[in-house]
Amino acid sequence: MIGLFQGAKIIVFPEYGVTGGMSLKDGEAVREAVYPYAEFVPSVSTCLGCTVPVGGSEAVSTLACMAKTYQMYVVGNMIERVTCSPGVKGCRPDGQFLYNTNVVFNQTGCLVAKYHKFAMWAEENYRLDHPAQPEYVYFDTEFGRFGTEVCFDLMFKYPGLPLVQKYDIDTMLFPTYWPVLNSYVSFISNVIQFSSGWARRMHVNFLAADVHSQRDRAIGSAISTPESVVASYCDWKSNQGRLLVADIPINTSKNRSKTEKVEEVKVDEFRDYGWFPALNVTDLQDFVFKEITGLTGMAQVCSHQLCCSANYTRRDNSNFIVIGARASKGNKILPFDYEVCVVRKCKSPDLMSCLDMFDTESTTYFDKLTLSGKFSVDYVYPAVTLANNEYTGVKFDFHYQGFYNELNVTEMHSPLLTAALISYTYDPSLQSHNI
């Protein structure tokens, strides 16, 4: 166990990273295709150690034994099988619920937490089930309080925000199979950018473990604190994963403002949007780009009600750099109201080149860069990416007051690729359990 040798106290595996069951061949979206991957999971507080539980659940037993053997918390994600009777609401003809489930075992091999994913993604709707209500799952350790959710859950208000603002978690544990749908979203919401921005805005640690699948463009894992990304891995050219290990602060909730509070929500407030397809170039119609010129100056660009500003000093004009703004209403294609301010290095003056997810090279250093905007929503997430998808070689301050948000880069060890402020509207009518 490499992690143990480096002093790790907790390890997080990716979504479907223990049993598989997500990356199936085309045409296998049917429910029966995941039967071989599903296992029974015992109730919380069950102590397994290295014994096989009833039902022959090998993955569950392996995780419990790993936790006990190596004296560490183990977080795994798997498909859980729960039997149900005809007449029970939501019970399908096969007589079982199949849940996308996070399980957490402590150092003695006891199950201390179990969470069922709520925001289903794409083919999960055909294969799996979701709980009737969002679950708010957390557990306490000697080094802080931990909460957990899965992948697409992060794009919505529940369960994440109540876990922070009501239950005071210090760290979010996040198994994910986070795909980059296409070039457009790659530079503003890959999993490292969004999870690190979430950590900064919510003042928590964030352990995001992606499955690292080249085929599905599910690339990028990170360990983030409220101050920075302390470890990350994002390599489009390799299909090899990597173990990330880092020291993170404990009891982050003690330094968090208690003025913002949020309560749980009832599922009947949600809207069903059905299938969520990949975006295409027509979805860029509301994005406004403007070239940043000169070595120093100020640039501004507006999209509808959102205006973004950049004050900058750069060392050379070797790259084509733009400032961009987009304010967009949710619709059948993209069920989120969201706003984005971005400074982005582009491959050429052709603005479509700004969307090339595989162009990660940059040679432009900024000695000063402040990106700001007045948004229409409360929750805005900052993210800075350097050349070659580096996230750890940068320091920046993030300030917000009301709807005004400002990202101020203070230290940059590599050329800039992207700096962004990203917001999604947390409107209960837009949260769906069936995307």
Side-chain angles (χ1 to χ4, degrees), residues 126-139:
Y126 305 115
R127 300 171 180 169
L128 304 179
D129 304 285
H130 62 82
Q133 302 288 344
E135 300 174 349
Y136 305 93
V137 175
Y138 61 88
F139 60 97

Side-chain angles (χ1 to χ4, degrees), residues 59 79 83 176 187 212 214 280 307 344 357 376 379 409 433:
I79 299 173
T83 58
T176 185
F187 73 85
H212 198 87
Q214 277 185 313
N280 53 56
C307 288
R344 167 73 171 172
M357 74 174 74
S376 62
Y379 297 99
V409 177
H433 52 78

Side-chain angles (χ1 to χ4, degrees), residues 136-195:
Y136 305 93
V137 175
Y138 61 88
F139 60 97
D140 293 309
T141 74
E142 61 273 28
F143 39 89
R145 174 169 287 185
F146 290 76
T148 187
E149 58 182 356
V150 186
C151 202
F152 202 37
D153 289 328
L154 186 64
M155 302 299 288
F156 301 101
K157 191 172 187 175
Y158 309 100
L161 267 65
L163 284 174
V164 174
Q165 296 170 348
K166 183 176 181 179
Y167 299 107
D168 286 331
I169 66 168
D170 302 299
T171 302
M172 180 66 80
L173 306 173
F174 189 67
T176 185
Y177 202 121
W178 189 294
V180 174
L181 295 179
N182 66 4
S183 301
Y184 166 61
V185 289
S186 72
F187 73 85
I188 59 170
S189 60
N190 71 42
V191 67
I192 300 177
Q193 290 168 318
F194 201 79
S195 64

Side-chain angles (χ1 to χ4, degrees), residues 322-334:
V322 299
I323 179 173
R326 183 177 187 198
S328 178
K329 289 291 184 180
N331 52 48
K332 188 71 175 179
I333 299 298
L334 188 67

Side-chain angles (χ1 to χ4, degrees), residues 85-341:
S85 302
V88 173
K89 186 176 181 179
C91 187
R92 302 202 197 190
D94 60 6
Q96 58 186 342
F97 293 110
L98 298 175
Y99 294 118
N100 179 325
T101 305
N102 286 349
V103 293
V104 184
F105 290 94
N106 67 9
Q107 303 99 319
T108 61
C110 297
L111 185 67
V112 296
K114 178 166 65 171
Y115 169 76
H116 299 128
K117 183 179 180 180
F118 188 75
M120 310 305 287
W121 173 262
E123 62 266 28
E124 284 185 319
N125 294 294
Y126 305 115
R127 300 171 180 169
L128 304 179
D129 304 285
H130 62 82
Q133 302 288 344
E135 300 174 349
Y136 305 93
V137 175
Y138 61 88
F139 60 97
D140 293 309
T141 74
E142 61 273 28
F143 39 89
R145 174 169 287 185
F146 290 76
T148 187
E149 58 182 356
V150 186
C151 202
F152 202 37
D153 289 328
L154 186 64
M155 302 299 288
F156 301 101
K157 191 172 187 175
Y158 309 100
L161 267 65
L163 284 174
V164 174
Q165 296 170 348
K166 183 176 181 179
Y167 299 107
D168 286 331
I169 66 168
D170 302 299
T171 302
M172 180 66 80
L173 306 173
F174 189 67
T176 185
Y177 202 121
W178 189 294
V180 174
L181 295 179
N182 66 4
S183 301
Y184 166 61
V185 289
S186 72
F187 73 85
I188 59 170
S189 60
N190 71 42
V191 67
I192 300 177
Q193 290 168 318
F194 201 79
S195 64
S196 63
W198 207 91
R200 176 66 70 96
R201 177 61 177 82
M202 299 300 171
H203 204 86
V204 296
N205 301 312
F206 204 110
L207 278 59
D210 205 348
V211 75
H212 198 87
S213 168
Q214 277 185 313
R215 190 196 76 169
D216 296 330
R217 296 179 176 176
I219 304 293
S221 298
I223 300 173
S224 303
T225 72
E227 286 73 40
S228 65
V229 179
V230 294
S232 67
Y233 178 59
C234 183
D235 187 352
W236 291 100
K237 299 177 181 178
S238 172
N239 203 35
Q240 295 296 314
R242 180 179 297 177
L243 176 67
L244 300 178
V245 181
D247 293 324
I248 58 176
I250 62 176
N251 298 324
T252 60
S253 62
K254 293 182 178 179
N255 299 318
R256 184 165 55 242
S257 170
K258 304 300 181 182
T259 59
E260 300 176 26
K261 288 295 179 181
V262 64
E263 300 298 324
E264 294 95 334
V265 69
K266 295 299 182 182
V267 71
D268 56 10
E269 298 179 12
F270 299 162
R271 186 184 307 168
D272 182 357
Y273 271 91
W275 187 267
F276 183 75
L279 308 179
N280 53 56
V281 293
T282 61
D283 298 310
L284 302 178
Q285 59 187 352
D286 293 327
F287 221 126
V288 181
F289 288 117
K290 180 180 179 180
E291 181 185 4
I292 287 179
T293 60
L295 296 180
T296 186
M298 192 274 286
Q300 185 179 71
V301 66
C302 298
S303 171
H304 301 293
Q305 77 280 3
L306 174 66
C307 288
C308 307
S309 299
N311 286 279
Y312 59 91
T313 298
R314 56 179 173 171
R315 299 179 189 178
D316 59 64
N317 292 317
S318 59
N319 292 130
F320 186 78
I321 307 289
V322 299
I323 179 173
R326 183 177 187 198
S328 178
K329 289 291 184 180
N331 52 48
K332 188 71 175 179
I333 299 298
L334 188 67
F336 308 102
D337 292 353
Y338 68 101
E339 297 169 337
V340 179
C341 290

Side-chain angles (χ1 to χ4, degrees), residues 33-109:
V34 301
Y35 284 174
Y37 303 94
E39 293 190 1
F40 290 101
V41 178
S43 59
V44 172
S45 299
T46 300
C47 296
L48 298 175
C50 293
T51 61
V52 178
V54 176
S57 301
E58 292 186 38
V60 172
S61 178
T62 299
L63 293 174
C65 188
M66 180 188 301
K68 182 176 182 179
T69 301
Y70 297 103
Q71 295 290 290
M72 63 195 310
Y73 283 85
V74 174
V75 184
N77 175 274
M78 58 187 297
I79 299 173
E80 179 186 8
R81 185 194 312 272
V82 179
T83 58
C84 57
S85 302
V88 173
K89 186 176 181 179
C91 187
R92 302 202 197 190
D94 60 6
Q96 58 186 342
F97 293 110
L98 298 175
Y99 294 118
N100 179 325
T101 305
N102 286 349
V103 293
V104 184
F105 290 94
N106 67 9
Q107 303 99 319
T108 61

